[in-house]
Amino acid sequence: MEKFAKLTELVSAGGCAAKIGPGDLQQILSGLAIETAPDLLVGLDPADDAAVYRLNDDTAIIQTLDFFTPIVDDPFLFGQIAAANALSDVYAMGGRPLLAMNIFAFPCGLGAGTLRAVLEGGASKVKEAGALIVGGHSLEDKEPKYGLSVCGLVHPDRLITGAGAKPGDYLILTKPLGLGILTTALRGRVVDEAGIGGPLAEAIELNRAAAEAMAAAGANAATDVTGFGLAGHLLQMLNASGVSARLEAASLPVWPQAVELADKYQPGGTKRNADHFGGQTLLTSAVAQALKPLIFDPQTSGGLLISVAEDRLEGLLAELRSRSVSTAAVVGRIGPAAGDPRLIIE
Ligand code: CO
Ligand code: CO
Ligand code: CO
């Protein structure tokens, strides 16, 4: 038997922290022609990670794609996290996944068993989502990468985007922050996978129940919190909706271990996020300052951030509870249009 490197040792950055930074991405995309069409309900809008196209009055398709490098060594677990993360962009729009295709790039030397375990992990989450894997594409690559392109369905009238937040809305977050810090500590061999079992179990949790609760209760806007961190994804929502927000740092759900490790184990993406979104963000309290590494921490398969009208808040919380969504933290409120800093965390 050959001995192979651990998955996370083959990559220079893990998970959504491996994303191109928001500033660089803006530069790359700035010259591109943006196509529009009457039935294209969501295109290259920066607040949304998926595109939505209306087929008829009752049906729109959601198309999305997400893949990244391993954040854990266990190949089955990596497959599960990557698939839950890719499916999440459909859930964030209130949709239901229908079909998925694998995107798979691995060093062949890792061995068929390891590679199959990644695909099996992904397939298990796609099956749980009630969707079908119908193909994919693979290549050999020194740095492993895995993810899915997902096609989902939504009723055009029940589509939820990042552009609908309204002043007075409450903001709800459905998973704790800090996975980027924890998986950076994992790469540093400071913790092992068993030691961060709770956060990893949450990372493989589908955002399906949260999406169903949102559809049942009615929400004005939503996004999933991934590589740009809480502040980045919220700011994309604020900018698209033309509103501001105030969060209460003490109400943010965080992994306690991540708070402990935050000084020493920040992924590279944290600084990129803070550099890019920091000018729009003001941290006014000592608590908010202390949580800065978590506020900008790139999440992989993070929770939904939901903007809900005041008169629907209790209904949404009840729907989340009845579906056993373990985290449903009311973290702040939407305010009127404002100049920068339009995101204030106190
Ligand atoms: Co995405
Ligand atoms: Co997303
Ligand atoms: Co092909």
Side-chain angles (χ1 to χ4, degrees), residues 274-299:
D275 286 349
H276 188 73
F277 296 108
Q280 295 189 285
T281 310
L282 183 66
L283 309 174
T284 61
S285 69
V287 184
Q289 284 294 342
L291 290 181
K292 185 177 174 188
L294 288 101
I295 287 165
F296 291 105
D297 186 45
Q299 304 300 286

Side-chain angles (χ1 to χ4, degrees), residues 37 65 75 89 103 111 124 159 164 174 183 193 200 229 262 282 290 304 331 343:
L65 160 65
D89 282 327
I103 300 133
S124 74
L159 171 67
T174 68
T183 53
E193 278 164 27
L200 291 176
L282 183 66
L304 296 189
V331 297
L343 172 57

Side-chain angles (χ1 to χ4, degrees), residues 49 89 224 226:
D49 296 332
D89 282 327
D224 60 340
T226 54

Side-chain angles (χ1 to χ4, degrees), residues 29-158:
L29 295 178
S30 70
L32 282 184
I34 294 181
E35 301 288 339
T36 59
D39 286 312
L40 184 64
L41 305 180
V42 177
L44 272 171
D45 309 58
D48 293 291
D49 296 332
V52 184
Y53 191 91
R54 181 171 47 214
L55 297 176
N56 55 49
D57 288 348
D58 303 316
T59 312
I61 52 167
I62 304 173
Q63 185 70 53
T64 179
L65 160 65
D66 241 297
F67 66 103
F68 51 70
T69 51
I71 59 167
V72 292
D73 293 314
D74 181 310
F76 187 84
L77 180 62
F78 170 52
Q80 287 183 301
I81 294 170
N85 181 73
L87 291 158
S88 175
D89 282 327
V90 173
Y91 290 131
M93 309 199 86
R96 118 182 125 75
L98 185 68
L99 304 174
M101 291 188 140
N102 288 318
I103 300 133
F104 190 77
F106 270 81
C108 290
L110 273 181
T114 299
L115 304 193
R116 194 178 313 114
V118 173
L119 293 176
E120 282 170 351
S124 74
K125 297 315 285 186
V126 172
K127 186 172 183 200
E128 185 187 328
L132 300 167
I133 290 192
V134 291
H137 191 86
S138 56
L139 27 106
E140 197 175 349
D141 190 348
K142 275 204 245 22
E143 280 205 4
K145 296 168 191 82
Y146 173 63
L148 300 170
S149 174
V150 183
C151 173
L153 296 179
V154 67
H155 192 291
D157 299 341
R158 289 195 283 277

Side-chain angles (χ1 to χ4, degrees), residues 71 176-184 196 199-200 203 255 258 297-300:
I71 59 167
L177 302 168
L179 193 72
I181 293 165
L182 295 174
T183 53
T184 302
I196 57 168
L200 291 176
W255 295 113
D297 186 45
Q299 304 300 286
T300 300

